[in-house]
Amino acid sequence: MSPRRVDPNLSAQLIEAAARLLSEEGPAALSTRKLAATVGTSTMAVYTRFGGMDDLVRAVVREGFTLLNRRLEAVEETDDPVADVVALGWAYRANAREHRHLYNVMFGGSSLSGFSLTDADRQHGRYTLDALVGAVKRCVAAERFQPAEPQLVAHQLWIALHGLVTLDLGGYLVDPLNADVCYQAQICGMLLGAGDTPERATASVASAARREV
């Protein structure tokens, strides 16, 4: 009897299925048995590919950053770099809402099967800031922002937005001060702090809000 053919795409299928289960059903759904059934393979195949849940969850976290980066890269670059910065923020929020359980694992907000992020895991996803750093550079070049270190400005924006998203996912931002209201006020304040004028910042925020991300 010839050996069973190994599917070269099985690892990718398992990662995608695990990320989907986590996003749609939460941490309780991510078991080797359910994952194997979803893909149509055996539980042994999960361990053969990843060695254990730690490596599987680590791969899922990296898939989460891939999804986030894909969402950010979908934001089109326009002749209004400040609106682009705001649109990237909307995209970040939208991705977190769509993949809320995955987002929490990516940033250490929850753990799975005893898994916890390492320093290397935490640093892995920093490439997702590239789009924001690029937009900040264009804001400075267009004299909408004061001259500053783009990486630092991008980190300040990310830190503020991450806090808002965490509160939003936790259900803490409710009417009349819901997440949309708070985000608009927060981003306007940060744009002014970066050097933009109230009139131009308000117009750029309104322009970004009309985009579909």
Side-chain angles (χ1 to χ4, degrees):
M1 181 180 294
S2 60
R4 184 176 180 180
R5 185 177 179 182
V6 177
D7 184 351
N9 298 317
L10 182 56
S11 294
Q13 292 171 5
L14 288 167
I15 292 170
E16 291 174 7
R20 185 170 63 252
L21 285 171
L22 182 57
S23 293
E24 296 175 355
E25 302 182 37
L30 192 58
S31 67
T32 53
R33 179 172 296 180
K34 186 164 187 177
L35 178 59
T38 300
V39 176
T41 188
S42 66
T43 56
M44 182 58 67
V46 178
Y47 291 106
T48 299
R49 291 298 188 285
F50 297 101
M53 285 299 291
D54 274 8
D55 286 341
L56 172 60
V57 175
R58 180 165 289 108
V60 169
V61 167
R62 297 197 173 207
E63 173 68 9
F65 281 111
T66 297
L67 293 173
L68 171 59
N69 195 57
R70 189 177 302 156
R71 192 67 174 259
L72 296 176
E73 288 186 338
V75 175
E76 294 184 4
E77 184 177 310
T78 70
D79 58 1
D80 184 346
V82 174
D84 296 346
V85 166
V86 179
L88 287 167
W90 285 113
Y92 185 93
R93 285 185 56 213
N95 182 80
R97 285 177 164 181
E98 182 177 347
H99 305 290
R100 62 178 59 230
H101 299 298
L102 183 54
Y103 178 89
N104 284 330
V105 176
M106 288 161 58
F107 291 104
S110 63
S111 61
L112 294 170
S113 302
F115 172 84
S116 60
L117 297 176
T118 65
D119 288 342
D121 294 327
R122 294 186 184 92
Q123 299 305 315
H124 167 76
R126 284 188 175 275
Y127 72 94
T128 59
L129 283 173
D130 290 349
L132 179 57
V133 173
V136 170
K137 287 180 179 178
R138 292 191 294 113
C139 289
V140 173
E143 299 183 347
R144 297 286 299 274
F145 285 3
Q146 296 173 351
E149 169 53 49
Q151 287 276 359
L152 178 58
V153 175
H155 273 69
Q156 290 173 310
L157 292 167
W158 173 41
I159 291 166
L161 179 59
H162 183 77
L164 183 145
V165 169
T166 299
L167 291 172
D168 183 21
L169 296 183
Y172 291 98
L173 302 179
V174 298
D175 293 335
L177 300 179
N178 59 40
D180 290 343
V181 171
C182 290
Y183 176 66
Q184 184 163 331
Q186 181 185 51
I187 195 65
C188 279
M190 297 199 73
L191 297 178
L192 297 180
D196 209 7
T197 66
E199 295 78 13
R200 298 182 78 180
T202 299
S204 291
V205 171
S207 174
R210 291 192 292 268
R211 296 193 198 180
E212 292 184 6
V213 291

